[in-house]
Amino acid sequence: MATNQDAFRDYLQFEKKYSPHTLMAYCADISSFQSFSKVNYNQENIDHVDYNDIRNWIISLVDEGVTNGSVNRKMASLKAYYKFLLKIKQIPLSPLVKHKALKVSKNIQIPFSENEVDAVLNQMQNGSGFEEVRDKLIIDLFYTTGIRRAELIQLKIESVDLSNALIKVLGKRNKERLIPILPVVLGQFSLYLKERIGLSVIVDDDYFFLNKKGLKLNETFVYRLINTYFSTVSEKVKKSPHILRHTFATHLLNNGADLNSVKELLGHSSLASTQVYTHNSLAGLKSVHRDAHPRGRK
């Protein structure tokens, strides 16, 4: 017999279309609270609890050293679960209806400078061989498109349209978007594809970016790649794919791009946001992208 938690999982997966990673996080948070309730209150069914039970869990988490941000994420999972129970009329009121999120200090994301990005790309300018050509394309793609790490890893061969200078990426909640490829990067795509064909073995043929064994890349590999190259030119604490994505947006805005166009290029939306993005034409986006991005003028 299916439980409310099973129904909630199906709701997130099939109706909300959450990614497997997000789905796993939500379910893990709910399971964690369920374990806490069972140990402390001998209550395994968490559908009917009061706020004091949840508050005691919050206190327990903080005492264990869990950060406020992580606690807030767990509360967001619980809030979504009880909102779902309200939706299917299993409870009359959410126990979290008056809950306020814990205060979280904002970490400033410091982008790379144009000089730092240029220094890395110039170092790689004359690279040859599959790995060096691939690495340069990955860095330039992060910087000139603002693509997310997961989107880059999941990029398919069929989603790269060089004739129209576009790539189609699958973003959060399976939302597709088209991103223009700057002219300065187009040649690198062709060069990489020539090197890719030369691999002795290709296992994950559908995926655009592969390692030397012909397998699709993983998140750790991509993080280390960015960190390794930028460690040679930057003393910033954080050197990651996300910082390159942040750099993309910052440099566009610094050079005159409007906020709505940048958000559309990034595919940057959230449930908390109520802002209506400007639906620019694809031609208009290409123009803004090319004219505002530092490498679009080269």
Side-chain angles (χ1 to χ4, degrees), residues 245-279:
R245 176 173 159 85
H246 182 58
T247 300
F248 162 82
T250 301
H251 289 184
L252 280 176
L253 293 169
N254 286 348
N255 284 276
D258 69 274
L259 187 60
N260 283 322
S261 294
V262 173
K263 284 184 176 178
E264 194 166 340
L265 285 166
L266 289 170
H268 206 205
S269 60
S270 68
L271 295 176
S273 174
T274 57
Q275 184 177 3
V276 179
Y277 295 146
T278 301
H279 296 285

Short mmCIF file of all heavy atoms in Angstrom, two decimals, residues 245-279:
data_model
loop_
_atom_site.label_atom_id
_atom_site.label_comp_id
_atom_site.label_asym_id
_atom_site.label_seq_id
_atom_site.Cartn_x
_atom_site.Cartn_y
_atom_site.Cartn_z
N ARG A 245 30.52 30.62 -14.01
CA ARG A 245 29.15 30.99 -14.38
C ARG A 245 28.82 32.38 -13.82
O ARG A 245 28.24 33.22 -14.51
CB ARG A 245 28.18 29.94 -13.85
CG ARG A 245 26.70 30.23 -14.06
CD ARG A 245 25.90 29.00 -13.63
NE ARG A 245 24.51 29.29 -13.33
CZ ARG A 245 23.53 29.35 -14.23
NH1 ARG A 245 23.82 29.15 -15.51
NH2 ARG A 245 22.29 29.60 -13.87
N HIS A 246 29.23 32.62 -12.58
CA HIS A 246 29.04 33.92 -11.94
C HIS A 246 29.84 35.00 -12.68
O HIS A 246 29.38 36.13 -12.87
CB HIS A 246 29.48 33.83 -10.49
CG HIS A 246 29.29 35.08 -9.69
ND1 HIS A 246 28.07 35.69 -9.54
CD2 HIS A 246 30.18 35.84 -9.01
CE1 HIS A 246 28.22 36.78 -8.80
NE2 HIS A 246 29.49 36.89 -8.47
N THR A 247 31.02 34.63 -13.13
CA THR A 247 31.88 35.55 -13.89
C THR A 247 31.23 35.94 -15.20
O THR A 247 31.25 37.11 -15.61
CB THR A 247 33.25 34.90 -14.15
OG1 THR A 247 33.87 34.59 -12.89
CG2 THR A 247 34.16 35.82 -14.94
N PHE A 248 30.66 34.95 -15.88
CA PHE A 248 29.93 35.20 -17.14
C PHE A 248 28.88 36.29 -16.95
O PHE A 248 28.83 37.27 -17.69
CB PHE A 248 29.28 33.88 -17.58
CG PHE A 248 28.17 34.04 -18.60
CD1 PHE A 248 28.47 34.18 -19.94
CD2 PHE A 248 26.84 34.02 -18.20
CE1 PHE A 248 27.44 34.31 -20.88
CE2 PHE A 248 25.81 34.15 -19.13
CZ PHE A 248 26.12 34.30 -20.47
N ALA A 249 28.04 36.12 -15.93
CA ALA A 249 26.96 37.06 -15.69
C ALA A 249 27.49 38.44 -15.30
O ALA A 249 27.02 39.47 -15.79
CB ALA A 249 26.03 36.53 -14.60
N THR A 250 28.50 38.45 -14.44
CA THR A 250 29.06 39.72 -13.95
C THR A 250 29.67 40.52 -15.10
O THR A 250 29.45 41.73 -15.22
CB THR A 250 30.12 39.46 -12.88
OG1 THR A 250 29.53 38.74 -11.79
CG2 THR A 250 30.71 40.76 -12.36
N HIS A 251 30.44 39.85 -15.96
CA HIS A 251 31.10 40.55 -17.06
C HIS A 251 30.09 41.07 -18.08
O HIS A 251 30.28 42.14 -18.67
CB HIS A 251 32.14 39.65 -17.72
CG HIS A 251 33.33 39.41 -16.85
ND1 HIS A 251 34.44 38.69 -17.27
CD2 HIS A 251 33.61 39.79 -15.57
CE1 HIS A 251 35.33 38.64 -16.28
NE2 HIS A 251 34.83 39.30 -15.25
N LEU A 252 29.02 40.30 -18.32
CA LEU A 252 27.98 40.80 -19.22
C LEU A 252 27.34 42.07 -18.66
O LEU A 252 27.19 43.07 -19.37
CB LEU A 252 26.90 39.73 -19.41
CG LEU A 252 27.19 38.60 -20.41
CD1 LEU A 252 26.05 37.59 -20.39
CD2 LEU A 252 27.37 39.14 -21.82
N LEU A 253 26.97 42.03 -17.39
CA LEU A 253 26.32 43.18 -16.77
C LEU A 253 27.26 44.38 -16.72
O LEU A 253 26.85 45.53 -16.94
CB LEU A 253 25.83 42.83 -15.37
CG LEU A 253 24.69 41.81 -15.31
CD1 LEU A 253 24.46 41.33 -13.88
CD2 LEU A 253 23.40 42.43 -15.88
N ASN A 254 28.52 44.12 -16.43
CA ASN A 254 29.51 45.21 -16.37
C ASN A 254 29.70 45.88 -17.73
O ASN A 254 30.12 47.04 -17.80
CB ASN A 254 30.86 44.67 -15.89
CG ASN A 254 30.86 44.36 -14.40
OD1 ASN A 254 29.93 44.75 -13.68
ND2 ASN A 254 31.88 43.67 -13.94
N ASN A 255 29.39 45.14 -18.78
CA ASN A 255 29.59 45.68 -20.13
C ASN A 255 28.28 46.10 -20.80
O ASN A 255 28.22 46.24 -22.01
CB ASN A 255 30.34 44.67 -21.00
CG ASN A 255 31.82 44.60 -20.67
OD1 ASN A 255 32.62 45.40 -21.16
ND2 ASN A 255 32.20 43.67 -19.81
N GLY A 256 27.24 46.29 -19.98
CA GLY A 256 26.04 46.92 -20.50
C GLY A 256 24.85 46.03 -20.78
O GLY A 256 23.81 46.54 -21.24
N ALA A 257 24.95 44.72 -20.56
CA ALA A 257 23.80 43.86 -20.81
C ALA A 257 22.70 44.13 -19.79
O ALA A 257 22.99 44.45 -18.64
CB ALA A 257 24.22 42.39 -20.75
N ASP A 258 21.44 44.01 -20.19
CA ASP A 258 20.36 44.21 -19.23
C ASP A 258 20.12 42.94 -18.44
O ASP A 258 20.38 41.82 -18.90
CB ASP A 258 19.08 44.66 -19.94
CG ASP A 258 18.46 43.57 -20.78
OD1 ASP A 258 18.87 43.44 -21.95
OD2 ASP A 258 17.59 42.84 -20.27
N LEU A 259 19.61 43.10 -17.23
CA LEU A 259 19.47 42.01 -16.28
C LEU A 259 18.58 40.89 -16.80
O LEU A 259 18.89 39.71 -16.64
CB LEU A 259 18.93 42.54 -14.96
CG LEU A 259 18.87 41.56 -13.79
CD1 LEU A 259 20.26 41.03 -13.46
CD2 LEU A 259 18.26 42.23 -12.57
N ASN A 260 17.47 41.25 -17.45
CA ASN A 260 16.55 40.23 -17.92
C ASN A 260 17.17 39.35 -19.00
O ASN A 260 16.92 38.15 -19.05
CB ASN A 260 15.26 40.87 -18.45
CG ASN A 260 14.34 41.31 -17.33
OD1 ASN A 260 14.22 40.63 -16.32
ND2 ASN A 260 13.71 42.46 -17.49
N SER A 261 17.97 39.94 -19.89
CA SER A 261 18.63 39.15 -20.93
C SER A 261 19.63 38.17 -20.33
O SER A 261 19.74 37.02 -20.75
CB SER A 261 19.34 40.07 -21.93
OG SER A 261 18.40 40.84 -22.64
N VAL A 262 20.36 38.64 -19.32
CA VAL A 262 21.34 37.78 -18.67
C VAL A 262 20.64 36.61 -17.97
O VAL A 262 21.07 35.46 -18.05
CB VAL A 262 22.20 38.58 -17.67
CG1 VAL A 262 23.10 37.65 -16.87
CG2 VAL A 262 23.03 39.62 -18.40
N LYS A 263 19.55 36.92 -17.30
CA LYS A 263 18.81 35.85 -16.62
C LYS A 263 18.28 34.82 -17.61
O LYS A 263 18.28 33.62 -17.33
CB LYS A 263 17.65 36.44 -15.81
CG LYS A 263 18.10 37.10 -14.52
CD LYS A 263 16.92 37.59 -13.70
CE LYS A 263 17.40 38.15 -12.36
NZ LYS A 263 16.29 38.68 -11.54
N GLU A 264 17.85 35.29 -18.78
CA GLU A 264 17.34 34.35 -19.78
C GLU A 264 18.46 33.48 -20.34
O GLU A 264 18.27 32.29 -20.57
CB GLU A 264 16.63 35.11 -20.90
CG GLU A 264 15.79 34.21 -21.79
CD GLU A 264 14.82 34.99 -22.67
OE1 GLU A 264 14.53 36.16 -22.34
OE2 GLU A 264 14.38 34.43 -23.68
N LEU A 265 19.62 34.09 -20.54
CA LEU A 265 20.77 33.31 -21.00
C LEU A 265 21.17 32.26 -19.98
O LEU A 265 21.55 31.14 -20.33
CB LEU A 265 21.95 34.25 -21.29
CG LEU A 265 21.87 35.08 -22.57
CD1 LEU A 265 22.91 36.20 -22.55
CD2 LEU A 265 22.07 34.20 -23.80
N LEU A 266 21.08 32.63 -18.71
CA LEU A 266 21.46 31.71 -17.63
C LEU A 266 20.40 30.63 -17.38
O LEU A 266 20.70 29.60 -16.79
CB LEU A 266 21.69 32.48 -16.33
CG LEU A 266 22.93 33.35 -16.23
CD1 LEU A 266 22.86 34.22 -14.98
CD2 LEU A 266 24.18 32.51 -16.21
N GLY A 267 19.16 30.86 -17.82
CA GLY A 267 18.09 29.95 -17.44
C GLY A 267 17.87 30.01 -15.95
O GLY A 267 17.59 29.02 -15.29
N HIS A 268 17.98 31.21 -15.38
CA HIS A 268 18.06 31.40 -13.93
C HIS A 268 16.69 31.72 -13.36
O HIS A 268 16.28 32.87 -13.33
CB HIS A 268 19.04 32.54 -13.63
CG HIS A 268 19.67 32.44 -12.29
ND1 HIS A 268 20.14 33.52 -11.60
CD2 HIS A 268 19.91 31.37 -11.48
CE1 HIS A 268 20.67 33.14 -10.45
NE2 HIS A 268 20.52 31.83 -10.35
N SER A 269 15.94 30.71 -12.93
CA SER A 269 14.64 30.92 -12.31
C SER A 269 14.56 30.11 -11.04
O SER A 269 15.28 29.13 -10.86
CB SER A 269 13.52 30.52 -13.28
OG SER A 269 13.63 29.16 -13.61
N SER A 270 13.69 30.51 -10.14
CA SER A 270 13.52 29.77 -8.88
C SER A 270 12.07 29.88 -8.44
O SER A 270 11.35 30.79 -8.85
CB SER A 270 14.44 30.32 -7.78
OG SER A 270 14.02 31.62 -7.41
N LEU A 271 11.66 28.95 -7.59
CA LEU A 271 10.29 28.95 -7.08
C LEU A 271 10.04 30.21 -6.25
O LEU A 271 8.91 30.68 -6.15
CB LEU A 271 10.03 27.69 -6.24
CG LEU A 271 10.08 26.37 -7.00
CD1 LEU A 271 9.91 25.21 -6.05
CD2 LEU A 271 8.97 26.33 -8.05
N ALA A 272 11.09 30.73 -5.61
CA ALA A 272 10.93 31.90 -4.74
C ALA A 272 10.76 33.18 -5.54
O ALA A 272 10.29 34.19 -5.03
CB ALA A 272 12.13 32.02 -3.82
N SER A 273 11.14 33.15 -6.79
CA SER A 273 11.10 34.37 -7.59
C SER A 273 9.75 34.53 -8.27
O SER A 273 9.19 33.60 -8.82
CB SER A 273 12.21 34.34 -8.63
OG SER A 273 12.11 35.44 -9.50
N THR A 274 9.25 35.75 -8.26
CA THR A 274 7.99 36.04 -8.94
C THR A 274 8.21 36.99 -10.12
O THR A 274 7.25 37.46 -10.74
CB THR A 274 6.99 36.69 -7.97
OG1 THR A 274 7.57 37.87 -7.41
CG2 THR A 274 6.62 35.74 -6.85
N GLN A 275 9.47 37.23 -10.39
CA GLN A 275 9.78 38.16 -11.48
C GLN A 275 9.43 37.55 -12.82
O GLN A 275 9.71 36.39 -13.08
CB GLN A 275 11.28 38.50 -11.45
CG GLN A 275 11.68 39.53 -12.50
CD GLN A 275 13.15 39.88 -12.40
OE1 GLN A 275 13.86 39.32 -11.59
NE2 GLN A 275 13.61 40.80 -13.23
N VAL A 276 8.80 38.35 -13.67
CA VAL A 276 8.48 37.91 -15.03
C VAL A 276 9.62 38.33 -15.95
O VAL A 276 9.93 39.50 -16.11
CB VAL A 276 7.17 38.54 -15.53
CG1 VAL A 276 6.87 38.10 -16.96
CG2 VAL A 276 6.03 38.16 -14.61
N TYR A 277 10.27 37.30 -16.51
CA TYR A 277 11.41 37.60 -17.37
C TYR A 277 10.92 38.15 -18.72
O TYR A 277 9.88 37.79 -19.23
CB TYR A 277 12.25 36.34 -17.63
CG TYR A 277 12.90 35.79 -16.38
CD1 TYR A 277 13.08 34.42 -16.22
CD2 TYR A 277 13.33 36.62 -15.36
CE1 TYR A 277 13.68 33.90 -15.07
CE2 TYR A 277 13.92 36.13 -14.22
CZ TYR A 277 14.10 34.76 -14.08
OH TYR A 277 14.68 34.26 -12.95
N THR A 278 11.73 39.04 -19.28
CA THR A 278 11.44 39.57 -20.61
C THR A 278 11.67 38.49 -21.64
O THR A 278 12.73 37.87 -21.69
CB THR A 278 12.37 40.77 -20.91
OG1 THR A 278 12.18 41.76 -19.92
CG2 THR A 278 12.08 41.36 -22.28
N HIS A 279 10.68 38.26 -22.47
CA HIS A 279 10.81 37.22 -23.49
C HIS A 279 11.44 37.82 -24.75
O HIS A 279 10.78 38.11 -25.75
CB HIS A 279 9.44 36.61 -23.81
CG HIS A 279 8.85 35.91 -22.64
ND1 HIS A 279 9.30 34.67 -22.22
CD2 HIS A 279 7.87 36.25 -21.79
CE1 HIS A 279 8.61 34.28 -21.16
NE2 HIS A 279 7.74 35.22 -20.87
#
